[in-house]
Amino acid sequence: MGCNPNDCANCSSKCEKADFLLAQNEYSNVKNVIAVASGKGGVGKSLVTSLLACSSAAKGNSTAIMDADITGPSIPQAFGIHERVEGTDTGIIPALSKNNVKVMSINLMLEEETAPVVWRGPVISGVINQFWTEVMWGNVDYMFVDMPPGTGDVPLTVYQSLPVRGIVVVTTPQDLVKMIVAKAYNMAKMMNVPILGVVENMSYIECPDCGKKMEIFGSGKAEEVAKELGVPVLAKLPIVPENASLVDEGRVYDIDRTGIDDAFDKIVEKLG
């Protein structure tokens, strides 16, 4: 029976990841692919992806984001990009943000940004492959892939088809963080992709008057879980109400990156 690359979890074959890797577009030279993932939605994964990319670009790296959340794309809005991308005979030209981050998202190909993407898994996986093989990314030092939540078709496609060097797992402080991280960790282990570390979002809120940090969702479990799994906590990000307004205005690059810049440096160090 032939191998099904979309069903590794139930497969007894001993094939190598390299068997399924897709070639880049001939006008692309992407050096490091980093997936930003979570076991569930609503944890701020797209925000973390955007901030890591902004940190990379601010440090002088050629940086890109592949928005792999096909049914819930939010990266273009965060960067204030609303124009449709253009194609040529040799490929698709990615959009460029004001802070020089290259972006590719399904929303940049739709007639209307609010049009729903009602596609089955194989079609969505095909789009991810097209983002890799048909987009002319040019020279890219770091590409961040904003993943959809969960462990379904798209994560499988990304981990198998792209040369992912590591995964950043985004969590929140609630008790079910252990399960969230464990799901992402176990899938990464299954796909032979290392976890670079954990980012705990919504970790605390800082009182504007006294500066006291208040853990409104309870004491974070990130350190405990990270220790159990043997991965580092890259950053603990606060709740900052102003950040939501900046994202709504398409100005994610103006958000204070305290904590994220250090997280990016740790990622670079781990990648070597």
Side-chain angles (χ1 to χ4, degrees), residues 155-248:
L156 268 174
T157 298
V158 170
Y159 297 153
Q160 287 185 324
S161 302
L162 276 59
V164 179
R165 294 201 61 196
I167 301 167
V168 174
V169 180
V170 182
T171 72
T172 51
Q174 289 89 340
D175 283 339
L176 60 100
V177 66
K178 185 172 182 178
M179 181 184 70
I180 295 169
V181 176
K183 283 180 179 291
Y185 175 87
N186 288 328
M187 183 175 190
K189 187 176 180 180
M190 182 188 302
M191 305 303 296
N192 295 316
V193 181
I195 289 189
L196 300 172
V198 174
V199 173
E200 184 179 82
N201 193 29
M202 308 180 206
S203 184
Y204 61 90
I205 190 168
E206 191 170 296
C207 175
D209 296 323
C210 67
K212 181 181 179 180
K213 293 181 179 180
M214 298 174 286
E215 298 174 323
I216 61 175
F217 292 127
S219 178
K221 305 291 190 300
E223 288 93 347
E224 175 187 334
V225 177
K227 185 177 181 181
E228 286 182 14
L229 299 178
V231 298
V233 176
L234 299 172
K236 301 183 73 172
L237 305 182
I239 299 170
V240 182
E242 292 80 6
N243 289 353
S245 298
L246 288 171
V247 170
D248 288 343

Side-chain angles (χ1 to χ4, degrees), residues 22 120-134 157:
L22 296 177
R120 295 192 182 276
V123 177
I124 293 175
S125 295
V127 172
I128 300 300
N129 290 338
Q130 286 181 300
F131 282 177
W132 180 250
T133 61
E134 297 183 18
T157 298

Side-chain angles (χ1 to χ4, degrees), residues 79-102:
F79 284 89
I81 303 172
H82 302 285
E83 313 80 33
R84 294 183 68 191
V85 293
E86 298 180 357
T88 70
D89 291 339
T90 52
I92 302 168
I93 303 170
L96 189 65
S97 71
K98 289 184 178 179
N99 64 327
N100 295 317
V101 174
K102 299 174 185 178

